[in-house]
mmCIF file of all heavy atoms in Angstrom:
data_model
loop_
_atom_site.group_PDB
_atom_site.id
_atom_site.type_symbol
_atom_site.label_atom_id
_atom_site.label_comp_id
_atom_site.label_asym_id
_atom_site.label_seq_id
_atom_site.Cartn_x
_atom_site.Cartn_y
_atom_site.Cartn_z
ATOM 1 N N LEU B 233 24.459 5.651 -1.885
ATOM 2 C CA LEU B 233 24.676 5.088 -0.556
ATOM 3 C C LEU B 233 23.423 5.207 0.305
ATOM 4 O O LEU B 233 23.068 4.279 1.036
ATOM 5 C CB LEU B 233 25.856 5.798 0.125
ATOM 6 C CG LEU B 233 27.250 5.512 -0.415
ATOM 7 C CD1 LEU B 233 28.287 6.331 0.368
ATOM 8 C CD2 LEU B 233 27.595 4.038 -0.347
ATOM 9 N N LEU B 234 22.766 6.348 0.222
ATOM 10 C CA LEU B 234 21.545 6.565 1.002
ATOM 11 C C LEU B 234 20.442 5.609 0.552
ATOM 12 O O LEU B 234 19.743 5.002 1.380
ATOM 13 C CB LEU B 234 21.074 8.011 0.858
ATOM 14 C CG LEU B 234 19.793 8.388 1.615
ATOM 15 C CD1 LEU B 234 19.963 8.167 3.115
ATOM 16 C CD2 LEU B 234 19.413 9.842 1.329
ATOM 17 N N THR B 235 20.285 5.444 -0.756
ATOM 18 C CA THR B 235 19.278 4.536 -1.301
ATOM 19 C C THR B 235 19.551 3.100 -0.876
ATOM 20 O O THR B 235 18.637 2.362 -0.466
ATOM 21 C CB THR B 235 19.246 4.610 -2.838
ATOM 22 O OG1 THR B 235 19.056 5.972 -3.226
ATOM 23 C CG2 THR B 235 18.127 3.770 -3.402
ATOM 24 N N THR B 236 20.817 2.705 -0.943
ATOM 25 C CA THR B 236 21.200 1.352 -0.526
ATOM 26 C C THR B 236 20.918 1.143 0.963
ATOM 27 O O THR B 236 20.379 0.100 1.364
ATOM 28 C CB THR B 236 22.689 1.112 -0.797
ATOM 29 O OG1 THR B 236 22.975 1.360 -2.173
ATOM 30 C CG2 THR B 236 23.091 -0.316 -0.454
ATOM 31 N N GLY B 237 21.277 2.135 1.770
ATOM 32 C CA GLY B 237 21.084 2.014 3.214
ATOM 33 C C GLY B 237 19.631 1.904 3.603
ATOM 34 O O GLY B 237 19.236 0.967 4.313
ATOM 35 N N VAL B 238 18.806 2.818 3.125
ATOM 36 C CA VAL B 238 17.385 2.842 3.534
ATOM 37 C C VAL B 238 16.636 1.660 2.932
ATOM 38 O O VAL B 238 15.856 0.991 3.622
ATOM 39 C CB VAL B 238 16.736 4.179 3.111
ATOM 40 C CG1 VAL B 238 15.231 4.148 3.389
ATOM 41 C CG2 VAL B 238 17.386 5.342 3.855
ATOM 42 N N GLY B 239 16.867 1.370 1.650
ATOM 43 C CA GLY B 239 16.162 0.269 1.009
ATOM 44 C C GLY B 239 16.427 -1.064 1.692
ATOM 45 O O GLY B 239 15.505 -1.869 1.889
ATOM 46 N N ASN B 240 17.656 -1.302 2.090
ATOM 47 C CA ASN B 240 17.997 -2.587 2.698
ATOM 48 C C ASN B 240 17.682 -2.641 4.179
ATOM 49 O O ASN B 240 17.432 -3.720 4.714
ATOM 50 C CB ASN B 240 19.470 -2.901 2.453
ATOM 51 C CG ASN B 240 19.708 -3.375 1.033
ATOM 52 O OD1 ASN B 240 19.424 -4.517 0.701
ATOM 53 N ND2 ASN B 240 20.196 -2.480 0.180
ATOM 54 N N LEU B 241 17.708 -1.512 4.879
ATOM 55 C CA LEU B 241 17.249 -1.534 6.265
ATOM 56 C C LEU B 241 15.786 -1.953 6.321
ATOM 57 O O LEU B 241 15.358 -2.626 7.265
ATOM 58 C CB LEU B 241 17.431 -0.160 6.916
ATOM 59 C CG LEU B 241 18.836 0.172 7.423
ATOM 60 C CD1 LEU B 241 18.890 1.589 7.962
ATOM 61 C CD2 LEU B 241 19.290 -0.814 8.491
ATOM 62 N N ALA B 242 15.024 -1.571 5.302
ATOM 63 C CA ALA B 242 13.624 -1.980 5.240
ATOM 64 C C ALA B 242 13.495 -3.500 5.118
ATOM 65 O O ALA B 242 12.603 -4.115 5.709
ATOM 66 C CB ALA B 242 12.917 -1.295 4.065
ATOM 67 N N THR B 243 14.426 -4.140 4.394
ATOM 68 C CA THR B 243 14.343 -5.595 4.206
ATOM 69 C C THR B 243 14.884 -6.383 5.388
ATOM 70 O O THR B 243 14.647 -7.582 5.469
ATOM 71 C CB THR B 243 15.100 -6.033 2.941
ATOM 72 O OG1 THR B 243 16.517 -5.842 3.133
ATOM 73 C CG2 THR B 243 14.647 -5.252 1.721
ATOM 74 N N LEU B 244 15.634 -5.750 6.302
ATOM 75 C CA LEU B 244 16.119 -6.458 7.476
ATOM 76 C C LEU B 244 14.987 -6.789 8.442
ATOM 77 O O LEU B 244 15.106 -7.680 9.270
ATOM 78 C CB LEU B 244 17.187 -5.627 8.198
ATOM 79 C CG LEU B 244 18.540 -5.512 7.482
ATOM 80 C CD1 LEU B 244 19.476 -4.609 8.265
ATOM 81 C CD2 LEU B 244 19.178 -6.878 7.301
#
Side-chain angles (χ1 to χ4, degrees):
L233 289 179
L234 180 59
T235 305
T236 304
V238 174
N240 283 282
L241 279 177
T243 68
L244 289 177

